[in-house]
Amino acid sequence: MTMVEPDAGGTRRSRRSTSEDEVLLDRELADLPPDLRWREWMLRVEAVIFAAAEPVGRETLARVVSKDCSIDLLIDDLREELRSRPYEIVFVAGGWQHRSRSAYASAIRASQVPTRGGGPTLSDFEAMVLMAIAYFQPITRGDLSKIFGKEISRDTIATLRNDNFLASGPRSPTPGAPYTYVTTKHFLSAFGLQTLRDLPDIEALEDAGLLSRKGVQEEISAIDGGEEKADDETFPIV
């Protein structure tokens, strides 16, 4: 179907619908021999994953290959082909994504080059709050305050929400029906997780040097002793 729309000057122009754009892509490649056909499907899948800002799901990849093509086998062949490369295709947050291999993380950091997947740097305290939400979601800010023994400010929640790690969950059934918070798909992607079942325990994070309880305690003390107090009346999060 072709849709006709007026442009800025009033001239009518045609615009193909998304479904027609998909039809224009030869997905079956019946005129190619089997080996070249498979190769072209591999390259299409890799191109889509490479270009995407977020992990790419199976349904998306299926739009560029034959309806009878196995996405899993294509991915297996791509991973084998990339075995000697410093990057790989990994399955995170319900889709596939290009990731640099961990062995080259120090070289990438030393180069100080801006990275496409570089996420915001969280303080130890923010990371601990995020981990608590991940493990106990849906959870209210009040319940988080009980876990940490101090009030979790709206500033901290706002930071995590602005970084797209958190979203609003269902209202709590407790008096006042406060908001709860849950982690997002971006959270899974940023931490290289397929599902929340892949969450490591806190001890594993400390052993890997990714989190420091001492640093958290020092930050809590600094916040409590400084000027940065939570102002619940002036920083609403909804």
Side-chain angles (χ1 to χ4, degrees):
M1 180 181 69
T2 299
M3 300 179 66
V4 178
E5 298 179 340
D7 60 18
T11 304
R12 295 172 70 82
R13 59 182 176 82
S14 63
R15 178 175 64 84
R16 292 189 179 91
S17 65
T18 300
S19 60
E20 185 172 349
D21 288 338
E22 292 174 355
V23 169
L24 292 176
L25 177 67
D26 182 4
R27 296 169 54 193
E28 301 300 327
L29 302 175
D31 57 330
L32 294 180
D35 56 338
L36 293 182
R37 184 185 312 144
W38 187 261
R39 180 67 180 171
E40 176 62 20
W41 286 335
M42 284 176 58
L43 294 176
R44 287 183 180 183
V45 165
E46 184 176 11
V48 172
I49 295 173
F50 180 83
E54 297 290 340
V56 183
R58 187 182 305 276
E59 291 184 2
T60 300
L61 295 178
R63 298 172 187 163
V64 299
V65 299
S66 169
K67 62 180 182 299
D68 298 321
C69 180
S70 170
I71 299 296
D72 293 310
L73 292 179
L74 282 176
I75 296 293
D76 286 344
D77 283 356
L78 283 171
R79 283 173 167 165
E80 182 62 30
E81 194 168 273
L82 297 176
R83 187 176 295 275
S84 62
R85 307 303 298 168
Y87 46 85
E88 60 185 334
I89 293 177
V90 297
F91 188 80
V92 293
W96 287 277
Q97 189 174 51
H98 271 101
R99 291 283 180 93
S100 299
R101 296 187 188 275
S102 58
Y104 298 94
S106 58
I108 294 172
R109 285 194 297 268
S111 73
Q112 300 182 10
V113 64
T115 57
R116 181 174 54 181
T121 300
L122 299 178
S123 70
D124 286 325
F125 181 63
E126 290 167 344
M128 284 291 282
V129 172
L130 181 58
M131 286 296 103
I133 294 172
Y135 282 109
F136 299 109
Q137 61 186 299
I139 187 171
T140 66
R141 192 165 58 90
D143 288 333
L144 285 169
S145 298
K146 293 176 183 177
I147 291 175
F148 287 88
K150 73 176 297 293
E151 186 170 22
I152 303 301
S153 74
R154 295 183 185 272
D155 300 59
T156 298
I157 297 297
T159 295
L160 297 175
R161 284 179 63 109
N162 291 338
D163 290 339
N164 199 25
F165 289 132
L166 297 184
S168 294
R171 291 276 193 169
S172 171
T174 57
Y179 282 100
T180 63
Y181 298 99
V182 297
T183 54
T184 62
K185 185 176 180 180
H186 175 71
F187 165 80
L188 295 176
S189 174
F191 287 87
L193 305 173
Q194 293 186 29
T195 70
L196 291 173
R197 289 191 296 270
D198 298 322
L199 280 169
D201 55 36
I202 298 299
E203 287 74 15
L205 293 176
E206 289 186 303
D207 292 343
L210 300 176
L211 203 60
S212 167
R213 295 195 194 192
K214 180 180 179 181
V216 172
Q217 292 302 321
E218 290 175 349
E219 187 166 347
I220 289 176
S221 297
I223 293 174
D224 287 342
E227 298 179 355
E228 186 179 346
K229 293 285 187 176
D231 186 351
D232 290 346
E233 299 303 320
T234 61
F235 212 118
I237 293 293
V238 293

